[in-house]
Amino acid sequence: MAGTDRGDLTRTAILALLGTVGPLSRSEIARELDLSPATVTQLTKELIGHGMLEELDLKPSRGGRPAQRLGLVGSAGRALGVKVTADHLVLVDVRLDGEVLGSWNKPHDPTAPDALEHLADAVESVVREISGVPPLLGVGVGVPGSVDDQAVGTVNAPTLGWQAMPVGERLRRRLNLPVLVENDVNALAAAERLYGRGRRHNDFLVLTIGRGVGAAIVADGRVYRGARGGAGEFGHLPMAPDGPECGCGARGCLEAFVGSAGLLAAAERAGQSPAELLAAAERTGRSPVERAGGEPLGAVAELGKAGAGGDPVARAVFAEAGAILGRATAGLINVVDPEAVVVLGEGTADWPLWQEGFDSALRAQLYPGRRDISVEVESWDDTSWAQGAAALVLATPFDAAGAAGEQGRLVRARLIGAAP
């Protein structure tokens, strides 16, 4: 699609508006973006012609003719999302409208000397498999660690054994595609802002529970990354100087109490053997590949199953963990003052058990006037982390602040059909 830089930016603004608030009429687009009706008519005509927008139903009018609404065409583009874990990769192919077209699970050892080459091999094999229509806009990678800049993609992730790993540079060199790399919880926040409950809020928290604990802060519609991309390491909030050792090397971190390994340690102290939980998980086939602090996550799932069945030890473990998490979350809410909290992660499968301790502890510690804050729990499956990574790319056309830098410009250029 030919056009001036100004025209391309305006087209992007139109896509951004429709991508974040949903279908609108041409007059509503003109009003929201402070554009002339003639400009909106011309640019939307081009976007429709290029298969990026479509005319939808007529919007009822209080007088005069009903207005035609415009919406995004999901098949205008796609992204590949990659979630890197301690022992495998999850990859998903996602359309612009958030529909998942395919998913892959591949073994991966991030501590191996050739870990980055293996990662590139896995991504490249899927890129070759999905090439075609709709066009691939880029690759998003989510990692459990800090990332200097989405567009640069240098990763520090102690749980992966990575220090200053040039993930973005290596993948871009191999794939010849735009690549964005981000902390996995921040990536989930981007997906929530684009497709989830975050569409209703400009200021919200994303809280993740499972193997670890994380948080992302969305302020004025943007994910807050901090000075070096390390904001949101909520799991490493100090809770007790003499507490259990955390995977980061410190003692008494929040994650050491309420992450998966912390739950199993608490269960063992209460007489519920992790080995017995693991044996029960293996008997019922509940033993996934990923491990938490040396214990398979199947043992945590079995602990949740026991709690759901009324086991008093399991219920007490989750209730106490919920109370600890609730107090810590209240502190974070008191500091950043969000409109809502969205809870995600594999741990949400057992949320009713967490909630018993979480709700009362949270409300008790909140500053007056904030005690009615909404806590919203999203559904979860194994591909959700990777969907968040894909959203790094799919949110780029809607990113007026340009947080994705030059890689974001390349994504937008691919979407509007301009030469990069």
Side-chain angles (χ1 to χ4, degrees):
M1 181 185 300
T4 63
D5 290 344
R6 172 63 181 166
D8 287 346
L9 288 173
T10 307
R11 293 183 190 94
T12 298
I14 293 172
L15 294 172
L17 181 64
L18 297 176
T20 53
V21 306
L24 296 172
S25 68
R26 290 173 177 83
S27 61
E28 288 170 325
I29 294 171
R31 184 167 57 251
E32 290 289 334
L33 298 179
D34 195 21
L35 297 171
S36 72
T39 297
V40 171
T41 297
Q42 177 60 35
L43 293 179
T44 55
K45 180 180 179 181
E46 294 177 11
L47 291 168
I48 291 170
H50 283 77
M52 298 165 65
L53 297 183
E54 60 184 344
E55 292 186 327
L56 303 173
D57 56 316
L58 296 175
K59 182 178 182 179
S61 173
R62 294 182 179 178
R65 294 190 307 171
Q68 185 84 54
R69 297 198 307 170
L70 302 176
L72 288 179
V73 175
S75 59
R78 74 206 303 177
L80 182 65
V82 184
K83 160 65 174 172
V84 183
T85 81
D87 56 16
H88 70 283
L89 305 172
V90 181
L91 303 95
V92 293
D93 177 17
V94 185
R95 291 197 334 171
L96 186 62
D97 61 0
E99 180 184 348
V100 176
L101 301 175
S103 63
W104 298 261
N105 194 310
K106 297 177 179 288
H108 179 64
D109 179 6
T111 64
D114 61 347
L116 281 189
E117 289 305 314
H118 182 269
L119 172 62
D121 288 343
V123 176
E124 187 176 41
S125 68
V126 174
V127 167
R128 286 196 301 267
E129 185 173 339
I130 67 174
S131 61
V133 178
L136 182 61
L137 303 178
V139 176
V141 182
V143 295
S146 63
V147 181
D148 61 342
D149 182 281
Q150 284 186 13
V152 177
T154 302
V155 176
N156 289 292
T159 59
L160 302 179
W162 287 3
Q163 183 173 1
M165 288 289 262
V167 176
E169 176 190 348
R170 192 69 58 86
L171 288 179
R172 282 190 291 274
R173 188 190 313 156
R174 174 75 78 85
L175 303 173
N176 195 28
L177 284 168
V179 176
L180 293 168
V181 186
E182 181 59 284
N183 168 269
D184 49 14
V185 183
N186 285 347
L188 282 178
E192 277 298 306
R193 178 63 177 152
L194 192 57
Y195 303 117
R197 300 182 187 223
R199 290 179 69 160
R200 304 197 300 265
H201 307 292
N202 277 329
D203 299 89
F204 64 96
L205 293 176
V206 170
L207 177 67
T208 62
I209 55 173
R211 182 177 190 271
V213 180
I217 302 166
V218 178
D220 196 22
R222 304 173 190 172
V223 177
Y224 177 71
R225 304 188 73 255
R228 289 174 292 275
E233 289 291 351
F234 185 48
H236 302 292
L237 184 72
M239 301 296 290
D242 57 348
E245 186 174 356
C246 179
C248 71
R251 300 195 72 88
C253 294
L254 174 63
E255 186 171 300
F257 289 99
V258 304
S260 293
L263 292 176
L264 294 177
E268 186 169 29
R269 289 194 297 272
Q272 186 76 278
S273 166
E276 292 175 2
L277 289 168
L278 175 57
E282 290 174 339
R283 284 196 300 271
T284 57
R286 298 165 65 95
S287 184
V289 176
E290 190 174 358
R291 302 173 75 87
E295 296 290 348
L297 292 183
V300 180
E302 198 64 29
L303 183 66
K305 181 181 175 183
D311 181 89
V313 171
R315 294 186 70 86
V317 166
F318 280 103
E320 177 60 21
I324 294 170
L325 181 66
R327 287 191 290 271
T329 303
L332 187 56
I333 292 171
N334 288 339
V335 170
V336 302
D337 190 23
E339 300 170 66
V341 178
V342 180
V343 184
L344 297 164
E346 55 269 16
T348 58
D350 299 313
W351 183 250
L353 299 173
W354 290 82
Q355 194 170 13
E356 182 179 337
F358 180 87
D359 281 350
S360 57
L362 175 77
R363 307 297 169 183
Q365 296 295 323
L366 284 174
Y367 193 75
R370 297 176 185 164
R371 289 174 185 157
D372 61 348
I373 189 169
S374 172
V375 177
E376 306 173 25
V377 182
E378 287 268 7
S379 59
W380 187 263
D381 64 37
D382 289 342
T383 65
S384 297
W385 286 111
Q387 286 177 261
L392 297 173
V393 174
L394 298 173
T396 295
F398 316 137
D399 174 25
E406 175 64 10
Q407 294 302 298
R409 186 193 71 79
L410 293 173
V411 171
R412 288 189 290 272
R414 294 175 75 86
L415 179 61
I416 65 174

